[in-house]
Amino acid sequence: MIQKQRGTIDILPGESEVWQWMENKIKETAALYGYSEIRLPTFESSELYKRGVGETSDVVQKEMYSFEDNDRRSITLRPEGTAGVVRSVIENGLASGAMPLPLYYLISCFRYEKPEAGRSREFYQFGVEQFGAENPAADANVISLGYDIFKNLGLDVSLEINSIGCRHCRPIYHKALHDYFESCKDDLCETCLDRLDKNPLRILDCKSPVCSEYAKNAPKTIDYLCPDCKKHLDELKVYLDRAGIKYNVNPKIVRGLDYYQRTVFEFISEDIGSKSTICGGGRYDGLVEELGGPRLPGIGFAMGLTRVMLALKSANKIPEFDTAPALYIASMGDSARLKSFEMSLAFKKHGLNVTFDQVGRSLKAQMKYADKTGAKFSLVLGDSELEAGKATLKNMANGETVEVDINDISDIVDKMQN
Ligand code: ATP
Ligand code: MG
């Protein structure tokens, strides 16, 4: 038997309803903030991610699903959403349209990682990107959207923010960081040794115990901010305070890409154990230019839906879903089955899920099936019912019956609903 690939999941009926509920809540919240959906290809040129995610990132260094297609082009299954959105914004000329431009996506992403709870090789993300606003009001608005999504899902999360400076103050910070890690160079992991000269900020992100121990005492970005970056962070705090959103300034949060600047943030959930970052985001004012577009600031976040689902489960926040049919029409004989099909279609015009026997089973087997589906009412059609135009509607919960006219669908609907 062929089995699913390691690190992938099947979402089956019963659970897919929960996913739809979660996704609808998220989309409704995004709509309140004026966001429109953008749908993009699942694969892009590998070059896009090398430049858009960064050569020194874990994603590009070891996690990409890349392959050569028949034309010998290097293709990559999207490991994240931002690079593709920026590519599309540039390619479709959206960069010269009305600003700010707020976009969202619901996608699956692919990363070759060691699968564990909350970490899979195909995983789902909800992400937003907003272009064209540099003001801290934009940062606050984007963070507030993330905050509201968790609130609307009934999840308790905490918010950690930081600023990683800009092209003016970052080089000074980089040097301080480089000098600090240089002194413990011999203990760093191989990946971080490589990062030391290329992008020391990345070392702060390393998950190896030794590197993260050293990272604890490393120089902090906020101590190196230039006056403009400091002002930006201070104003963001004012906006968050006004929104009543609590936050903690955490100097350990970094997004180690050159074109990430100023605001970076994470939402943390206590409900998912050690893999507690449920949503991460930041400002990437240099990315559009890096990918060949105009100078256009941007800020966004990506929320890991697989982790949101874990949090919903462990915090017991998943509602009950009623997928049972309103009515099951059992039938005996071909004419009765044909009539039951016709009736089922008429019920759909009233917005009701009504099912009928499509198998040609015995009446006993049909009733057993009706029970299994949890149908709320049942009705049996045979030759005599067809002739008389009448049948018995049965309430499956309490066994009560009432005679109905099989050609008066509205009346049956009334009787089921009252
Ligand atoms: P981590 O440090 O946990 O590897 P990351 O920094 O690689 O996360 P991002 O690239 O910021 O993650 O992606 C945003 C969000 O997507 C994460 O906060 C997380 O919730 C989710 N995510 C990332 N990788 C995975 C994965 N392999 N499986 C499930 N969810 C993931
Ligand atoms: Mg990762």
Side-chain angles (χ1 to χ4, degrees), residues 134-137 139 161-166 169 221-222 224-240 247 262-263 283:
E134 221 164 332
N135 195 282
D139 307 46
I161 63 169
N162 190 21
S163 173
I164 54 169
C166 65
C169 48
T221 50
I222 38 172
Y224 289 80
L225 297 181
C226 64
D228 282 350
C229 287
K230 189 169 179 320
K231 183 164 169 270
H232 196 273
L233 178 63
D234 287 341
E235 283 177 21
L236 169 62
K237 291 183 192 169
V238 172
Y239 272 89
L240 292 176
Y247 55 84
R262 294 186 171 160
T263 312
R283 175 167 278 290

PDB file of all heavy atoms in Angstrom, residues 134-137 139 161-166 169 221-222 224-240 247 262-263 283:
ATOM      1  N   GLU A 134       4.873  53.329   5.719  1.00  0.00           N
ATOM      2  CA  GLU A 134       6.067  53.203   6.546  1.00  0.00           C
ATOM      3  C   GLU A 134       5.779  53.604   7.994  1.00  0.00           C
ATOM      4  O   GLU A 134       6.516  53.255   8.905  1.00  0.00           O
ATOM      5  CB  GLU A 134       7.129  54.164   5.990  1.00  0.00           C
ATOM      6  CG  GLU A 134       8.502  53.577   5.966  1.00  0.00           C
ATOM      7  CD  GLU A 134       9.447  54.385   5.073  1.00  0.00           C
ATOM      8  OE1 GLU A 134       8.989  55.029   4.101  1.00  0.00           O
ATOM      9  OE2 GLU A 134      10.640  54.379   5.386  1.00  0.00           O
ATOM     10  N   ASN A 135       4.680  54.316   8.149  1.00  0.00           N
ATOM     11  CA  ASN A 135       4.315  54.847   9.457  1.00  0.00           C
ATOM     12  C   ASN A 135       4.033  53.724  10.460  1.00  0.00           C
ATOM     13  O   ASN A 135       3.490  52.692  10.090  1.00  0.00           O
ATOM     14  CB  ASN A 135       3.057  55.700   9.270  1.00  0.00           C
ATOM     15  CG  ASN A 135       2.794  56.583  10.452  1.00  0.00           C
ATOM     16  OD1 ASN A 135       2.299  56.121  11.477  1.00  0.00           O
ATOM     17  ND2 ASN A 135       3.145  57.853  10.333  1.00  0.00           N
ATOM     18  N   PRO A 136       4.394  53.920  11.730  1.00  0.00           N
ATOM     19  CA  PRO A 136       4.119  52.875  12.738  1.00  0.00           C
ATOM     20  C   PRO A 136       2.630  52.549  12.874  1.00  0.00           C
ATOM     21  O   PRO A 136       2.278  51.481  13.391  1.00  0.00           O
ATOM     22  CB  PRO A 136       4.679  53.466  14.037  1.00  0.00           C
ATOM     23  CG  PRO A 136       5.112  54.846  13.740  1.00  0.00           C
ATOM     24  CD  PRO A 136       5.203  55.024  12.271  1.00  0.00           C
ATOM     25  N   ALA A 137       1.773  53.431  12.382  1.00  0.00           N
ATOM     26  CA  ALA A 137       0.330  53.139  12.386  1.00  0.00           C
ATOM     27  C   ALA A 137       0.067  51.856  11.602  1.00  0.00           C
ATOM     28  O   ALA A 137      -0.801  51.053  11.964  1.00  0.00           O
ATOM     29  CB  ALA A 137      -0.451  54.300  11.763  1.00  0.00           C
ATOM     30  N   ASP A 139       2.194  49.326  11.152  1.00  0.00           N
ATOM     31  CA  ASP A 139       2.678  48.191  11.946  1.00  0.00           C
ATOM     32  C   ASP A 139       1.635  47.803  12.989  1.00  0.00           C
ATOM     33  O   ASP A 139       1.324  46.625  13.195  1.00  0.00           O
ATOM     34  CB  ASP A 139       3.996  48.550  12.667  1.00  0.00           C
ATOM     35  CG  ASP A 139       5.060  49.088  11.718  1.00  0.00           C
ATOM     36  OD1 ASP A 139       4.715  49.953  10.892  1.00  0.00           O
ATOM     37  OD2 ASP A 139       6.206  48.641  11.800  1.00  0.00           O
ATOM     38  N   ILE A 161       7.437  41.977  20.742  1.00  0.00           N
ATOM     39  CA  ILE A 161       7.881  42.841  19.643  1.00  0.00           C
ATOM     40  C   ILE A 161       9.351  43.213  19.824  1.00  0.00           C
ATOM     41  O   ILE A 161       9.906  43.100  20.915  1.00  0.00           O
ATOM     42  CB  ILE A 161       7.032  44.137  19.526  1.00  0.00           C
ATOM     43  CG1 ILE A 161       7.165  44.996  20.791  1.00  0.00           C
ATOM     44  CG2 ILE A 161       5.568  43.819  19.268  1.00  0.00           C
ATOM     45  CD1 ILE A 161       6.571  46.386  20.651  1.00  0.00           C
ATOM     46  N   ASN A 162       9.939  43.657  18.746  1.00  0.00           N
ATOM     47  CA  ASN A 162      11.322  44.119  18.802  1.00  0.00           C
ATOM     48  C   ASN A 162      11.559  45.015  17.593  1.00  0.00           C
ATOM     49  O   ASN A 162      10.743  45.029  16.665  1.00  0.00           O
ATOM     50  CB  ASN A 162      12.270  42.905  18.767  1.00  0.00           C
ATOM     51  CG  ASN A 162      13.716  43.280  19.072  1.00  0.00           C
ATOM     52  OD1 ASN A 162      13.984  44.319  19.677  1.00  0.00           O
ATOM     53  ND2 ASN A 162      14.643  42.428  18.653  1.00  0.00           N
ATOM     54  N   SER A 163      12.656  45.758  17.603  1.00  0.00           N
ATOM     55  CA  SER A 163      13.049  46.479  16.393  1.00  0.00           C
ATOM     56  C   SER A 163      14.465  46.073  16.051  1.00  0.00           C
ATOM     57  O   SER A 163      15.322  45.998  16.934  1.00  0.00           O
ATOM     58  CB  SER A 163      12.990  47.996  16.606  1.00  0.00           C
ATOM     59  OG  SER A 163      13.540  48.638  15.463  1.00  0.00           O
ATOM     60  N   ILE A 164      14.691  45.774  14.783  1.00  0.00           N
ATOM     61  CA  ILE A 164      16.045  45.359  14.392  1.00  0.00           C
ATOM     62  C   ILE A 164      16.757  46.452  13.590  1.00  0.00           C
ATOM     63  O   ILE A 164      17.739  46.194  12.922  1.00  0.00           O
ATOM     64  CB  ILE A 164      16.039  44.023  13.621  1.00  0.00           C
ATOM     65  CG1 ILE A 164      15.099  44.086  12.425  1.00  0.00           C
ATOM     66  CG2 ILE A 164      15.664  42.874  14.536  1.00  0.00           C
ATOM     67  CD1 ILE A 164      15.242  42.896  11.486  1.00  0.00           C
ATOM     68  N   GLY A 165      16.209  47.668  13.685  1.00  0.00           N
ATOM     69  CA  GLY A 165      16.922  48.791  13.091  1.00  0.00           C
ATOM     70  C   GLY A 165      16.795  48.882  11.580  1.00  0.00           C
ATOM     71  O   GLY A 165      16.010  48.156  10.965  1.00  0.00           O
ATOM     72  N   CYS A 166      17.605  49.752  10.995  1.00  0.00           N
ATOM     73  CA  CYS A 166      17.500  49.981   9.557  1.00  0.00           C
ATOM     74  C   CYS A 166      18.895  49.954   8.938  1.00  0.00           C
ATOM     75  O   CYS A 166      19.875  49.653   9.613  1.00  0.00           O
ATOM     76  CB  CYS A 166      16.847  51.330   9.291  1.00  0.00           C
ATOM     77  SG  CYS A 166      17.851  52.710   9.868  1.00  0.00           S
ATOM     78  N   CYS A 169      21.520  52.010  11.125  1.00  0.00           N
ATOM     79  CA  CYS A 169      22.033  51.560  12.424  1.00  0.00           C
ATOM     80  C   CYS A 169      22.421  50.079  12.442  1.00  0.00           C
ATOM     81  O   CYS A 169      23.173  49.639  13.309  1.00  0.00           O
ATOM     82  CB  CYS A 169      21.050  51.881  13.548  1.00  0.00           C
ATOM     83  SG  CYS A 169      19.340  51.430  13.253  1.00  0.00           S
ATOM     84  N   THR A 221      19.626  44.471  19.818  1.00  0.00           N
ATOM     85  CA  THR A 221      19.365  45.446  18.744  1.00  0.00           C
ATOM     86  C   THR A 221      18.875  46.774  19.312  1.00  0.00           C
ATOM     87  O   THR A 221      19.312  47.828  18.854  1.00  0.00           O
ATOM     88  CB  THR A 221      18.285  44.954  17.754  1.00  0.00           C
ATOM     89  OG1 THR A 221      17.151  44.522  18.501  1.00  0.00           O
ATOM     90  CG2 THR A 221      18.787  43.834  16.895  1.00  0.00           C
ATOM     91  N   ILE A 222      17.967  46.709  20.288  1.00  0.00           N
ATOM     92  CA  ILE A 222      17.367  47.965  20.750  1.00  0.00           C
ATOM     93  C   ILE A 222      18.377  48.935  21.373  1.00  0.00           C
ATOM     94  O   ILE A 222      18.120  50.119  21.457  1.00  0.00           O
ATOM     95  CB  ILE A 222      16.185  47.764  21.732  1.00  0.00           C
ATOM     96  CG1 ILE A 222      16.453  46.606  22.666  1.00  0.00           C
ATOM     97  CG2 ILE A 222      14.885  47.556  20.992  1.00  0.00           C
ATOM     98  CD1 ILE A 222      15.408  46.515  23.767  1.00  0.00           C
ATOM     99  N   TYR A 224      21.094  49.624  19.994  1.00  0.00           N
ATOM    100  CA  TYR A 224      21.867  50.191  18.882  1.00  0.00           C
ATOM    101  C   TYR A 224      21.010  50.969  17.886  1.00  0.00           C
ATOM    102  O   TYR A 224      21.475  51.334  16.825  1.00  0.00           O
ATOM    103  CB  TYR A 224      22.608  49.063  18.141  1.00  0.00           C
ATOM    104  CG  TYR A 224      23.750  48.487  18.953  1.00  0.00           C
ATOM    105  CD1 TYR A 224      23.515  47.553  19.963  1.00  0.00           C
ATOM    106  CD2 TYR A 224      25.068  48.912  18.733  1.00  0.00           C
ATOM    107  CE1 TYR A 224      24.551  47.038  20.722  1.00  0.00           C
ATOM    108  CE2 TYR A 224      26.109  48.401  19.491  1.00  0.00           C
ATOM    109  CZ  TYR A 224      25.851  47.468  20.489  1.00  0.00           C
ATOM    110  OH  TYR A 224      26.883  46.974  21.232  1.00  0.00           O
ATOM    111  N   LEU A 225      19.738  51.199  18.201  1.00  0.00           N
ATOM    112  CA  LEU A 225      18.849  51.856  17.232  1.00  0.00           C
ATOM    113  C   LEU A 225      19.231  53.319  17.007  1.00  0.00           C
ATOM    114  O   LEU A 225      19.589  54.032  17.946  1.00  0.00           O
ATOM    115  CB  LEU A 225      17.393  51.794  17.719  1.00  0.00           C
ATOM    116  CG  LEU A 225      16.773  50.397  17.871  1.00  0.00           C
ATOM    117  CD1 LEU A 225      15.317  50.526  18.330  1.00  0.00           C
ATOM    118  CD2 LEU A 225      16.863  49.614  16.566  1.00  0.00           C
ATOM    119  N   CYS A 226      19.111  53.767  15.748  1.00  0.00           N
ATOM    120  CA  CYS A 226      19.320  55.180  15.452  1.00  0.00           C
ATOM    121  C   CYS A 226      18.077  55.953  15.915  1.00  0.00           C
ATOM    122  O   CYS A 226      17.035  55.340  16.187  1.00  0.00           O
ATOM    123  CB  CYS A 226      19.567  55.388  13.958  1.00  0.00           C
ATOM    124  SG  CYS A 226      18.163  54.941  12.916  1.00  0.00           S
ATOM    125  N   PRO A 227      18.166  57.291  16.020  1.00  0.00           N
ATOM    126  CA  PRO A 227      17.022  58.052  16.550  1.00  0.00           C
ATOM    127  C   PRO A 227      15.717  57.789  15.781  1.00  0.00           C
ATOM    128  O   PRO A 227      14.650  57.667  16.392  1.00  0.00           O
ATOM    129  CB  PRO A 227      17.471  59.513  16.403  1.00  0.00           C
ATOM    130  CG  PRO A 227      18.968  59.450  16.420  1.00  0.00           C
ATOM    131  CD  PRO A 227      19.341  58.143  15.788  1.00  0.00           C
ATOM    132  N   ASP A 228      15.790  57.660  14.455  1.00  0.00           N
ATOM    133  CA  ASP A 228      14.565  57.432  13.674  1.00  0.00           C
ATOM    134  C   ASP A 228      13.928  56.080  14.014  1.00  0.00           C
ATOM    135  O   ASP A 228      12.708  55.959  14.133  1.00  0.00           O
ATOM    136  CB  ASP A 228      14.858  57.481  12.166  1.00  0.00           C
ATOM    137  CG  ASP A 228      14.997  58.907  11.672  1.00  0.00           C
ATOM    138  OD1 ASP A 228      14.672  59.835  12.462  1.00  0.00           O
ATOM    139  OD2 ASP A 228      15.425  59.094  10.512  1.00  0.00           O
ATOM    140  N   CYS A 229      14.770  55.048  14.132  1.00  0.00           N
ATOM    141  CA  CYS A 229      14.245  53.714  14.440  1.00  0.00           C
ATOM    142  C   CYS A 229      13.692  53.665  15.860  1.00  0.00           C
ATOM    143  O   CYS A 229      12.681  53.015  16.123  1.00  0.00           O
ATOM    144  CB  CYS A 229      15.322  52.648  14.262  1.00  0.00           C
ATOM    145  SG  CYS A 229      15.703  52.334  12.527  1.00  0.00           S
ATOM    146  N   LYS A 230      14.360  54.383  16.745  1.00  0.00           N
ATOM    147  CA  LYS A 230      13.899  54.402  18.130  1.00  0.00           C
ATOM    148  C   LYS A 230      12.529  55.076  18.211  1.00  0.00           C
ATOM    149  O   LYS A 230      11.617  54.607  18.891  1.00  0.00           O
ATOM    150  CB  LYS A 230      14.925  55.141  19.001  1.00  0.00           C
ATOM    151  CG  LYS A 230      14.600  55.008  20.455  1.00  0.00           C
ATOM    152  CD  LYS A 230      15.702  55.484  21.364  1.00  0.00           C
ATOM    153  CE  LYS A 230      15.306  55.337  22.826  1.00  0.00           C
ATOM    154  NZ  LYS A 230      13.910  55.682  23.121  1.00  0.00           N
ATOM    155  N   LYS A 231      12.386  56.171  17.447  1.00  0.00           N
ATOM    156  CA  LYS A 231      11.120  56.909  17.406  1.00  0.00           C
ATOM    157  C   LYS A 231      10.017  56.013  16.827  1.00  0.00           C
ATOM    158  O   LYS A 231       8.892  55.982  17.330  1.00  0.00           O
ATOM    159  CB  LYS A 231      11.324  58.161  16.535  1.00  0.00           C
ATOM    160  CG  LYS A 231      10.140  59.068  16.456  1.00  0.00           C
ATOM    161  CD  LYS A 231      10.574  60.454  15.923  1.00  0.00           C
ATOM    162  CE  LYS A 231       9.365  61.306  15.582  1.00  0.00           C
ATOM    163  NZ  LYS A 231       8.909  61.154  14.195  1.00  0.00           N
ATOM    164  N   HIS A 232      10.360  55.276  15.780  1.00  0.00           N
ATOM    165  CA  HIS A 232       9.390  54.387  15.137  1.00  0.00           C
ATOM    166  C   HIS A 232       8.867  53.356  16.146  1.00  0.00           C
ATOM    167  O   HIS A 232       7.658  53.125  16.257  1.00  0.00           O
ATOM    168  CB  HIS A 232      10.055  53.697  13.935  1.00  0.00           C
ATOM    169  CG  HIS A 232       9.083  53.060  12.983  1.00  0.00           C
ATOM    170  ND1 HIS A 232       8.623  51.774  13.148  1.00  0.00           N
ATOM    171  CD2 HIS A 232       8.485  53.532  11.858  1.00  0.00           C
ATOM    172  CE1 HIS A 232       7.787  51.471  12.155  1.00  0.00           C
ATOM    173  NE2 HIS A 232       7.684  52.515  11.356  1.00  0.00           N
ATOM    174  N   LEU A 233       9.794  52.771  16.903  1.00  0.00           N
ATOM    175  CA  LEU A 233       9.411  51.769  17.906  1.00  0.00           C
ATOM    176  C   LEU A 233       8.571  52.402  19.021  1.00  0.00           C
ATOM    177  O   LEU A 233       7.546  51.843  19.435  1.00  0.00           O
ATOM    178  CB  LEU A 233      10.660  51.096  18.490  1.00  0.00           C
ATOM    179  CG  LEU A 233      10.415  50.054  19.587  1.00  0.00           C
ATOM    180  CD1 LEU A 233       9.605  48.875  19.064  1.00  0.00           C
ATOM    181  CD2 LEU A 233      11.740  49.537  20.168  1.00  0.00           C
ATOM    182  N   ASP A 234       8.999  53.578  19.465  1.00  0.00           N
ATOM    183  CA  ASP A 234       8.251  54.246  20.537  1.00  0.00           C
ATOM    184  C   ASP A 234       6.832  54.576  20.087  1.00  0.00           C
ATOM    185  O   ASP A 234       5.873  54.437  20.844  1.00  0.00           O
ATOM    186  CB  ASP A 234       8.976  55.530  20.981  1.00  0.00           C
ATOM    187  CG  ASP A 234      10.236  55.196  21.784  1.00  0.00           C
ATOM    188  OD1 ASP A 234      10.325  54.048  22.281  1.00  0.00           O
ATOM    189  OD2 ASP A 234      11.129  56.065  21.894  1.00  0.00           O
ATOM    190  N   GLU A 235       6.698  55.010  18.831  1.00  0.00           N
ATOM    191  CA  GLU A 235       5.357  55.341  18.328  1.00  0.00           C
ATOM    192  C   GLU A 235       4.503  54.085  18.182  1.00  0.00           C
ATOM    193  O   GLU A 235       3.300  54.106  18.460  1.00  0.00           O
ATOM    194  CB  GLU A 235       5.461  56.089  16.991  1.00  0.00           C
ATOM    195  CG  GLU A 235       5.859  57.539  17.198  1.00  0.00           C
ATOM    196  CD  GLU A 235       6.042  58.312  15.897  1.00  0.00           C
ATOM    197  OE1 GLU A 235       5.501  57.885  14.856  1.00  0.00           O
ATOM    198  OE2 GLU A 235       6.742  59.328  15.943  1.00  0.00           O
ATOM    199  N   LEU A 236       5.131  53.008  17.736  1.00  0.00           N
ATOM    200  CA  LEU A 236       4.382  51.750  17.628  1.00  0.00           C
ATOM    201  C   LEU A 236       3.794  51.380  18.998  1.00  0.00           C
ATOM    202  O   LEU A 236       2.633  50.973  19.109  1.00  0.00           O
ATOM    203  CB  LEU A 236       5.287  50.628  17.106  1.00  0.00           C
ATOM    204  CG  LEU A 236       4.693  49.215  17.189  1.00  0.00           C
ATOM    205  CD1 LEU A 236       3.423  49.099  16.347  1.00  0.00           C
ATOM    206  CD2 LEU A 236       5.714  48.171  16.725  1.00  0.00           C
ATOM    207  N   LYS A 237       4.592  51.557  20.036  1.00  0.00           N
ATOM    208  CA  LYS A 237       4.123  51.228  21.385  1.00  0.00           C
ATOM    209  C   LYS A 237       2.908  52.074  21.763  1.00  0.00           C
ATOM    210  O   LYS A 237       1.962  51.573  22.366  1.00  0.00           O
ATOM    211  CB  LYS A 237       5.238  51.451  22.406  1.00  0.00           C
ATOM    212  CG  LYS A 237       6.385  50.460  22.293  1.00  0.00           C
ATOM    213  CD  LYS A 237       7.351  50.779  23.420  1.00  0.00           C
ATOM    214  CE  LYS A 237       8.674  50.094  23.290  1.00  0.00           C
ATOM    215  NZ  LYS A 237       9.645  50.634  24.239  1.00  0.00           N
ATOM    216  N   VAL A 238       2.948  53.354  21.384  1.00  0.00           N
ATOM    217  CA  VAL A 238       1.814  54.239  21.677  1.00  0.00           C
ATOM    218  C   VAL A 238       0.546  53.717  20.981  1.00  0.00           C
ATOM    219  O   VAL A 238      -0.535  53.650  21.571  1.00  0.00           O
ATOM    220  CB  VAL A 238       2.114  55.692  21.228  1.00  0.00           C
ATOM    221  CG1 VAL A 238       0.883  56.575  21.353  1.00  0.00           C
ATOM    222  CG2 VAL A 238       3.272  56.265  22.039  1.00  0.00           C
ATOM    223  N   TYR A 239       0.709  53.329  19.728  1.00  0.00           N
ATOM    224  CA  TYR A 239      -0.444  52.794  18.977  1.00  0.00           C
ATOM    225  C   TYR A 239      -0.970  51.511  19.618  1.00  0.00           C
ATOM    226  O   TYR A 239      -2.173  51.307  19.735  1.00  0.00           O
ATOM    227  CB  TYR A 239      -0.063  52.535  17.511  1.00  0.00           C
ATOM    228  CG  TYR A 239      -0.259  53.743  16.634  1.00  0.00           C
ATOM    229  CD1 TYR A 239       0.747  54.678  16.460  1.00  0.00           C
ATOM    230  CD2 TYR A 239      -1.481  53.952  15.988  1.00  0.00           C
ATOM    231  CE1 TYR A 239       0.565  55.791  15.664  1.00  0.00           C
ATOM    232  CE2 TYR A 239      -1.674  55.058  15.182  1.00  0.00           C
ATOM    233  CZ  TYR A 239      -0.653  55.976  15.017  1.00  0.00           C
ATOM    234  OH  TYR A 239      -0.851  57.078  14.240  1.00  0.00           O
ATOM    235  N   LEU A 240      -0.058  50.627  20.002  1.00  0.00           N
ATOM    236  CA  LEU A 240      -0.498  49.356  20.604  1.00  0.00           C
ATOM    237  C   LEU A 240      -1.197  49.613  21.939  1.00  0.00           C
ATOM    238  O   LEU A 240      -2.199  48.974  22.261  1.00  0.00           O
ATOM    239  CB  LEU A 240       0.689  48.401  20.785  1.00  0.00           C
ATOM    240  CG  LEU A 240       1.315  47.871  19.488  1.00  0.00           C
ATOM    241  CD1 LEU A 240       2.545  47.014  19.792  1.00  0.00           C
ATOM    242  CD2 LEU A 240       0.303  47.059  18.667  1.00  0.00           C
ATOM    243  N   TYR A 247       1.989  43.902  25.145  1.00  0.00           N
ATOM    244  CA  TYR A 247       3.144  43.364  24.432  1.00  0.00           C
ATOM    245  C   TYR A 247       4.335  43.345  25.362  1.00  0.00           C
ATOM    246  O   TYR A 247       4.336  43.989  26.410  1.00  0.00           O
ATOM    247  CB  TYR A 247       3.468  44.227  23.201  1.00  0.00           C
ATOM    248  CG  TYR A 247       3.667  45.673  23.569  1.00  0.00           C
ATOM    249  CD1 TYR A 247       4.906  46.143  24.025  1.00  0.00           C
ATOM    250  CD2 TYR A 247       2.598  46.569  23.520  1.00  0.00           C
ATOM    251  CE1 TYR A 247       5.074  47.465  24.419  1.00  0.00           C
ATOM    252  CE2 TYR A 247       2.755  47.882  23.911  1.00  0.00           C
ATOM    253  CZ  TYR A 247       3.996  48.326  24.355  1.00  0.00           C
ATOM    254  OH  TYR A 247       4.152  49.626  24.752  1.00  0.00           O
ATOM    255  N   ARG A 262      13.374  47.435  11.187  1.00  0.00           N
ATOM    256  CA  ARG A 262      12.551  47.946  12.277  1.00  0.00           C
ATOM    257  C   ARG A 262      11.692  46.855  12.888  1.00  0.00           C
ATOM    258  O   ARG A 262      12.185  45.866  13.386  1.00  0.00           O
ATOM    259  CB  ARG A 262      11.719  49.133  11.786  1.00  0.00           C
ATOM    260  CG  ARG A 262      12.646  50.292  11.430  1.00  0.00           C
ATOM    261  CD  ARG A 262      11.927  51.555  11.074  1.00  0.00           C
ATOM    262  NE  ARG A 262      12.894  52.637  10.976  1.00  0.00           N
ATOM    263  CZ  ARG A 262      12.694  53.768  10.343  1.00  0.00           C
ATOM    264  NH1 ARG A 262      11.532  54.020   9.770  1.00  0.00           N
ATOM    265  NH2 ARG A 262      13.627  54.675  10.309  1.00  0.00           N
ATOM    266  N   THR A 263      10.374  46.995  12.818  1.00  0.00           N
ATOM    267  CA  THR A 263       9.484  46.130  13.598  1.00  0.00           C
ATOM    268  C   THR A 263       9.574  44.656  13.236  1.00  0.00           C
ATOM    269  O   THR A 263       9.469  44.279  12.068  1.00  0.00           O
ATOM    270  CB  THR A 263       8.030  46.589  13.381  1.00  0.00           C
ATOM    271  OG1 THR A 263       7.974  48.003  13.552  1.00  0.00           O
ATOM    272  CG2 THR A 263       7.099  45.890  14.353  1.00  0.00           C
ATOM    273  N   ARG A 283       8.544  44.008   9.366  1.00  0.00           N
ATOM    274  CA  ARG A 283       8.575  45.030   8.315  1.00  0.00           C
ATOM    275  C   ARG A 283       9.727  44.719   7.370  1.00  0.00           C
ATOM    276  O   ARG A 283      10.820  44.370   7.816  1.00  0.00           O
ATOM    277  CB  ARG A 283       8.751  46.384   9.018  1.00  0.00           C
ATOM    278  CG  ARG A 283       8.915  47.564   8.134  1.00  0.00           C
ATOM    279  CD  ARG A 283       8.777  48.868   8.896  1.00  0.00           C
ATOM    280  NE  ARG A 283       7.381  49.249   9.093  1.00  0.00           N
ATOM    281  CZ  ARG A 283       6.575  49.667   8.112  1.00  0.00           C
ATOM    282  NH1 ARG A 283       7.010  49.760   6.871  1.00  0.00           N
ATOM    283  NH2 ARG A 283       5.332  49.986   8.376  1.00  0.00           N
TER     284      ARG A 283
END
